[in-house]
Amino acid sequence: MSTPMEMFVKEMQKLFQPDEVYVMNGSQEEVEKITEIAQKSEVDGRIVLKKLNGQEYPNSYYHRSNPNDVARTEHLTFVCTPTKEQAGPNNNWVDPKEAKEKMDYLFKGAMKGRTMYVIPFVMGTPKSKYAKNGVQVTDSLYVALSMRVMSRVGKQAIERIGTSYDFFRGIHSIGDVNPNRRFIMHFPQDNLVMSFGSGYGGNALLGKKCYSLRIGSYLGYQEGWLAEHMIIIGVEAPDGKITYFLGAFPSACGKTNLAMLDPVFKGYRVWTLGDDIAWINVGEDGQLYAINPEAGFFGVAAGTGFKTNPNMMKTLKNSKFFPTLFTNTAVDNSNNTPWWEGVSDEVPSDLTDWQGRKYDKNSGTPAAHPNSRFTVSIYNCPTLSPEIDNPKGVPISGIIFGGRRKSTIPLVYEAKDWNSGVFAASIIGSETTAAASGQVGTVRRDPMAMLPFCGYNMGEYFNHWLNIGERAKKLPKIFMVNWFRKDEDGKFMWPGYRENSRIIKWMIDRIEGKTGVKESEIGLFPQEGAIDLSGLDIKKETMDKLLSVDKEDWKKEVLMIEEFYAKFGDKIPKDLRDYLKELKEKIGV
Ligand code: OXD
Ligand code: MN
C-alpha cells in the first residue's frame, strides 16, 4: 500500500512525465549534490548556479533569472474559492474547476527531459503543534535548493506526514518562463497551490507566500489562528528582560532590517526570530504566541550593507548552514563577489550587471535589480534568538504596523485598544515597491501589509482579527509607525534604521506602563520628551511635525479609506465602519 504522499508523487509523475523523480531527504550530502548539479545545468539558457568567492562569501552561489521573472506577479496570482465572494475584492479569482483544467493543460508533460524534485517540508519547528506539513514538486533546481534553505526539508517532514492525507500540496513547474503562461493558483479549500512559469521566490517557493500566508491565512480563519506578514523580534533591555514584538510592513519596507536591528542604546539588543511571516496562536494562558514557519531569509539585497544592516551582512558571511544564494545582484569580476547598490559606497570598476551585461557606471541604471535577493539560513544569523525552536513560540507584548508614506502618517502612534488597533491596521496605505511587478511608488491600501497575501475575503479577515481579540485574555498593545516621512525638499525627516530603536524603547515603556500618552484624532501620541532622542541631531519642529495629525492630509486619506472599505460592502465588520465614521467626524469630513 502506498502512503498518501507516495500516491501524490505518482500522480504528479503521471502528469508531468519527468525523466527522473528525486525525493529529497534533507541530508547535507544531498544539498551538496544538488548544488553540484546546479552548477552544471542550464535552464532558460542560463547556468543555474555559479560559485562565488568563498573567502568573502562562504558557501555562496549566484543565480540570474530571466529578466521577465524578477518579482511577485500579483496580476497572475489567483485565489480559486468556490465563489468569487469568498476570495473577496482583494484577490483575483477564477472558478476552481476552470483553474485546474488550465493548469493541468500547462503541466501535462512539462517535465519531459527534466528531473522532478519532490520536497517534503515542514513549516515551523517540527516539534511544534503549530507547525504544518507540505509536499512540493518542482523541476527547478534553484527552487529545490531555496526550499531547502527556507523550510525544514526531508526526513522529518516525511515522518510527520506518515500515512496522513493532511498535508499541503504544492505543484510547481518553471515551464518555459513565459509571462503569458504564468499563473499562481491557490485552492484554499483543497490545501493546494499550482504554480507555472516562474522561478521567483514568492511565486515558486510554495512554502512561503503561497502556503504560509495565502493558504495559511485561510487555515487560520478556519482553525482560530492568524498567519501574518510579520517579523518576530525579542528586544532585550539592560535588566535582561525580553519584550517580544511582531511587526507588519509591506514588502521592501525594511522588515529584514528591523528584524535584526542593532539598537542605539547601550545594554539593549534585538533577538531575531523571523523577518517575514508569523503564525500566531492564542496560548493556553490567553496570550498570543508566535512562531516563524520559515527557516531562512529571502531578503532584498539592494540597499543592504554594513551601515544599514550589519547583522545581515554577518549572516551572509557566515558559513554554518549551506548554501547561500544571491539572485539578480551584479557580480564584481575583480574578486567574484556579488555586488549591489548599498553594499559599498564605491561602485567597482569591473561589474557584470544583473542581466549579465558589462555594467556602465554612467548608464544611470542600477547594476543590481532593485528586487535582487539573497536566500540564507536563519541559523547563520548572529542575532538569532535562542527561542527560535521553542515549540510554543514566543509571547507577544506589542504589534507594530507600518507602511511607506511620504506624508500624512505620523512617525508613531498607539491604538487605544485591540479593536481600534485592528481598525488602524485595516486602513494602512503604502507606496508600492519593486517586490511586486508593476508601478513603484503609488499609494495603495495595504491593510496589515496583507493585501497581496490574504487568501480569503479581507472583510472576513478583519472580523477574524476582532474575534481573536475576544478570545485572548492578555492582548498586546498595537502601534502604528511610518519611518518614511519626507519634508518639502523630499528629504527623509526621520533617520530610520538603527534610530528606530528609539521608538521601540518608547513602546516598551508604554507596555510597562512607565509613560503616559497624548490623545489625538487618530490615536495616542507619545508625551513630550518621552521618546529618548539623546545623541540624535533632530529639530524639535521636525519631531512635532512627525508626531501630529495634519487634518488636511487626513481629509484626503479618509476618502481613500472609505473608497477601499466600500469595495467590501457589509463584509467590513460594523465595529470598523463605526470607527471610520468616528474618525471622519473628528477630522471634520
Ligand atoms: C517577500 C515579499 O519576498 O513580501 O517577502 O515580497
Ligand atoms: Mn514579505
Side-chain angles (χ1 to χ4, degrees):
M1 266 283 282
S2 303
T3 64
M5 178 183 143
E6 286 161 354
M7 273 154 36
F8 171 58
V9 174
K10 273 193 199 134
E11 195 193 319
M12 290 300 103
Q13 190 171 4
K14 206 164 139 211
L15 176 66
F16 282 114
Q17 299 160 37
D19 285 8
E20 275 175 61
V21 176
Y22 180 80
V23 182
M24 287 174 73
N25 59 33
S27 69
Q28 189 56 31
E29 302 79 70
E30 174 183 270
V31 185
E32 285 167 22
K33 195 178 90 192
I34 298 179
T35 309
E36 279 303 313
I37 300 171
Q39 290 175 81
K40 292 184 199 124
S41 306
E42 271 194 16
V43 168
D44 194 32
R46 292 168 192 80
I47 286 279
V48 177
L49 290 185
K50 283 191 191 148
K51 184 145 182 51
L52 291 162
N53 182 332
Q55 226 98 72
E56 292 289 330
Y57 289 92
N59 291 329
S60 294
Y61 297 84
Y62 182 65
H63 174 77
R64 187 176 286 136
S65 77
N66 188 309
N68 78 33
D69 189 29
V70 292
R72 283 183 292 103
T73 41
E74 291 176 8
H75 61 296
L76 305 174
T77 301
F78 294 82
V79 169
C80 310
T81 40
T83 67
K84 190 170 181 345
E85 196 189 38
Q86 284 168 300
N90 47 302
N91 283 303
N92 301 314
W93 178 84
V94 201
D95 175 77
K97 188 162 168 279
E98 199 184 306
K100 282 180 189 164
E101 276 167 14
K102 187 179 212 135
M103 297 309 279
D104 277 350
Y105 173 77
L106 293 170
F107 285 155
K108 206 162 177 223
M111 294 190 191
K112 277 187 191 150
R114 303 180 184 178
T115 298
M116 181 171 89
Y117 289 87
V118 179
I119 314 166
F121 64 92
V122 187
M123 297 311 293
T125 185
K127 286 193 295 296
S128 174
K129 67 174 179 193
Y130 304 133
K132 290 195 178 282
N133 310 323
V135 180
Q136 173 168 351
V137 297
T138 184
D139 50 7
S140 161
L141 285 153
Y142 170 76
V143 168
L145 276 173
S146 303
M147 279 293 289
R148 171 65 168 68
V149 177
M150 297 302 294
S151 66
R152 280 92 172 170
V153 163
K155 270 208 193 111
Q156 36 192 348
I158 300 174
E159 272 164 29
R160 275 181 56 113
I161 294 170
T163 55
S164 167
Y165 282 89
D166 182 18
F167 59 92
F168 163 78
R169 290 158 172 79
I171 310 178
H172 173 253
S173 167
I174 190 159
D176 52 359
V177 208
N178 177 346
N180 297 321
R181 289 149 53 82
R182 178 174 298 156
F183 298 100
I184 301 100
M185 303 279 201
H186 300 70
F187 304 89
Q189 278 75 7
D190 300 330
N191 205 3
L192 167 73
V193 170
M194 297 178 166
S195 167
F196 188 80
S198 168
Y200 175 75
N203 294 336
L205 316 182
L206 301 185
K208 192 174 178 61
K209 303 296 188 182
C210 298
Y211 181 47
S212 290
L213 285 178
R214 293 196 195 93
I215 302 287
S217 61
Y218 175 78
L219 293 177
Y221 175 49
Q222 300 297 302
E223 298 167 4
W225 54 280
L226 293 165
E228 295 297 326
H229 191 205
M230 288 178 173
I231 66 165
I232 314 170
I233 54 173
V235 184
E236 184 172 338
D239 62 3
K241 186 160 178 227
I242 302 178
T243 309
Y244 292 98
F245 286 90
L246 296 169
F249 295 80
S251 312
C253 284
K255 281 216 308 294
T256 306
N257 292 346
L258 189 61
M260 43 192 78
L261 190 75
D262 182 15
V264 293
F265 301 108
K266 244 179 117 193
Y268 280 82
R269 64 173 300 174
V270 165
W271 295 101
T272 308
L273 289 117
D275 83 324
D276 197 38
I277 301 176
W279 283 357
I280 309 154
N281 281 272
V282 182
E284 276 156 25
D285 58 358
Q287 202 171 347
L288 299 188
Y289 283 78
I291 63 159
N292 177 6
E294 301 192 281
F297 305 121
F298 177 63
V300 182
T304 303
F306 275 104
K307 277 191 210 142
T308 55
N309 193 342
N311 289 320
M312 184 46 95
M313 291 307 295
K314 287 181 199 154
T315 305
L316 296 173
K317 296 209 171 230
N318 188 351
S319 61
K320 224 160 60 194
F321 287 89
F322 174 95
T324 298
L325 308 177
F326 290 89
T327 305
N328 294 336
T329 62
V331 174
D332 181 348
N333 297 312
S334 70
N335 59 1
N336 190 30
T337 55
W339 190 88
W340 55 87
E341 279 70 19
V343 73
S344 64
D345 292 337
E346 278 277 298
V347 180
S349 54
D350 184 9
L351 280 182
T352 298
D353 78 2
W354 68 276
Q355 294 191 63
R357 304 170 303 200
K358 182 157 175 54
Y359 182 60
D360 172 9
K361 271 189 203 183
N362 303 317
S363 66
T365 56
H369 189 276
N371 195 35
S372 50
R373 296 275 179 154
F374 47 73
T375 315
V376 62
S377 169
I378 198 168
Y379 294 96
N380 285 352
C381 177
T383 57
L384 185 67
S385 163
E387 296 297 309
I388 187 72
D389 284 310
N390 185 337
K392 278 167 64 182
V394 290
I396 302 301
S397 302
I399 305 184
I400 308 167
F401 286 103
R404 177 186 286 271
R405 293 296 297 274
K406 286 192 202 45
S407 68
T408 320
I409 311 302
L411 173 61
V412 62
Y413 66 98
E414 181 186 318
K416 265 191 190 149
D417 52 26
W418 179 264
N419 282 13
S420 44
V422 172
F423 171 67
S426 80
I427 64 171
I428 293 176
S430 191
E431 291 150 23
T432 49
T433 67
S437 62
Q439 206 186 337
V440 169
T442 49
V443 175
R444 68 170 184 184
R445 290 302 110 191
D446 193 353
M448 284 83 168
M450 277 290 277
L451 182 76
F453 306 120
C454 179
Y456 62 105
N457 191 310
M458 231 171 180
E460 281 172 24
Y461 164 80
F462 296 152
N463 201 32
H464 183 45
W465 264 83
L466 296 175
N467 287 339
I468 292 278
E470 269 182 27
R471 258 184 50 220
K473 286 197 201 73
K474 193 170 167 222
L475 285 164
K477 277 192 178 293
I478 295 183
F479 303 96
M480 313 303 297
V481 301
N482 174 22
W483 315 133
F484 302 96
R485 273 290 279 271
K486 287 187 175 167
D487 62 16
E488 295 79 32
D489 302 328
K491 291 217 182 73
F492 284 111
M493 293 166 74
W494 174 251
Y497 299 107
R498 291 186 72 203
E499 308 296 342
N500 294 337
S501 54
R502 298 176 187 275
I503 310 301
I504 293 178
K505 186 168 171 243
W506 171 77
M507 291 172 183
I508 297 175
D509 287 345
R510 284 293 301 146
I511 289 164
E512 294 183 346
K514 288 190 185 151
T515 176
V517 280
K518 275 193 315 203
E519 292 237 5
S520 83
E521 295 83 348
I522 58 170
L524 312 172
F525 279 125
Q527 280 179 336
E528 195 81 30
I531 297 177
D532 186 343
L533 297 173
S534 49
L536 183 67
D537 186 16
I538 190 162
K539 291 201 182 86
K540 183 173 176 315
E541 305 90 84
T542 310
M543 282 311 288
D544 287 348
K545 198 152 182 220
L546 282 170
L547 297 173
S548 62
V549 176
D550 182 324
K551 282 204 183 175
E552 290 315 303
D553 280 353
W554 273 91
K555 277 183 188 158
K556 290 181 225 145
E557 189 74 10
V558 160
L559 296 180
M560 291 194 275
I561 297 164
E562 207 162 36
E563 200 183 309
F564 179 73
Y565 265 25
K567 288 191 199 162
F568 297 85
D570 57 11
K571 285 276 178 207
I572 299 279
K574 181 168 176 317
D575 266 16
L576 300 193
R577 281 184 273 143
D578 288 348
Y579 279 118
L580 180 57
K581 219 163 112 201
E582 199 184 312
L583 177 63
K584 278 173 71 181
E585 277 159 19
K586 285 186 185 158
I587 297 294
V589 181

